[in-house]
Amino acid sequence: MLKTKDILDEKNKKLRIKSKEVVFPLSDDDKKTINDMIEYLTNSQIDELAKKYKLRPGMGMAAIQLGIPKRYFTVVYENEDGDFDTYIMINPVITSASSEKIYVEEGEGCLSVNRPTEGIVPRSARITVEGYDINGNKTKIRVREEIAIAFQHEMDHLDGILFVDKIDKKNPYKDADKYRAL
């Protein structure tokens, strides 16, 4: 089982690596890593398990956050009825993005950034992403709102970018009035 300590901190230079495309079929190690990531993210959003295992809450994780420079990530989103929607994206590419921009009002968070951060990160409100599932089948998904933000955040990780890099240092809330807050 993954622990919070297994996730690389922003000071680790590996997080700045541009991850490599995944070759199919996936290795057993990659399949296990994906399942471990999903388990961590799910458990981290269930209060009693998060406390029991000392997990920092998160809804997305990229392989590079575990020191694996491969282009895949998972997102686990708790929907209104309390069930979890799980997304696995391998070799993802954004094929379209809305012109409408949104941001997380209380600020984005990241399992690799263990400090308070101020500022906004403008993201597309809706995106279409193409990639592959765990079995190598081509997938195409359109996501919106919080899930679109999570996908864009994780895809940045695959290119060695952290969300804090996208916050204007001189004016952290620059142009907030031009975007819709979530």
Coordinates of all heavy atoms in Angstrom, one line a residue, residues 103-108 117 119 182:
Y103 N -10.9 28.3 -12.3 CA -9.8 28.1 -11.3 C -10.4 27.6 -10.0 O -11.6 27.8 -9.8 CB -8.9 29.3 -11.1 CG -9.6 30.5 -10.5 CD1 -9.6 30.7 -9.1 CD2 -10.3 31.5 -11.2 CE1 -10.3 31.8 -8.5 CE2 -10.9 32.5 -10.7 CZ -10.9 32.7 -9.3 OH -11.6 33.7 -8.7
V104 N -9.6 27.0 -9.2 CA -10.1 26.5 -7.9 C -10.0 27.7 -7.0 O -8.9 28.2 -6.7 CB -9.2 25.3 -7.4 CG1 -9.7 24.9 -6.0 CG2 -9.2 24.2 -8.4
E105 N -11.1 28.1 -6.5 CA -11.2 29.3 -5.6 C -10.3 29.3 -4.4 O -9.6 30.2 -4.1 CB -12.6 29.6 -5.2 CG -12.8 31.0 -4.6 CD -14.3 31.4 -4.6 OE1 -15.2 30.5 -4.6 OE2 -14.5 32.6 -4.6
E106 N -10.3 28.1 -3.7 CA -9.4 28.0 -2.5 C -8.0 27.6 -2.9 O -7.1 27.4 -2.0 CB -10.0 27.0 -1.5 CG -10.1 25.6 -1.9 CD -11.4 25.2 -2.7 OE1 -12.1 26.1 -3.0 OE2 -11.5 24.0 -2.9
G107 N -7.7 27.5 -4.2 CA -6.4 27.2 -4.6 C -6.2 25.7 -4.9 O -6.7 24.9 -4.2
E108 N -5.4 25.5 -6.0 CA -5.1 24.1 -6.2 C -4.2 23.5 -5.2 O -3.4 24.2 -4.5 CB -4.4 23.9 -7.6 CG -5.4 23.9 -8.8 CD -4.7 23.6 -10.1 OE1 -3.8 22.8 -10.2 OE2 -5.2 24.2 -11.1
T117 N 0.0 27.5 -0.4 CA 0.2 28.3 -1.6 C -0.9 29.3 -1.8 O -2.1 28.9 -1.6 CB 0.5 27.5 -2.9 OG1 -0.7 26.6 -3.1 CG2 1.7 26.6 -2.8
G119 N -2.8 31.8 -4.7 CA -2.9 32.2 -6.1 C -3.8 31.3 -6.9 O -4.2 30.2 -6.4
L182 N -14.3 28.0 -9.1 CA -15.1 26.8 -8.7 C -14.9 26.6 -7.2 O -13.9 26.8 -6.6 CB -14.5 25.5 -9.3 CG -14.7 25.3 -10.8 CD1 -14.3 23.9 -11.2 CD2 -16.2 25.5 -11.2

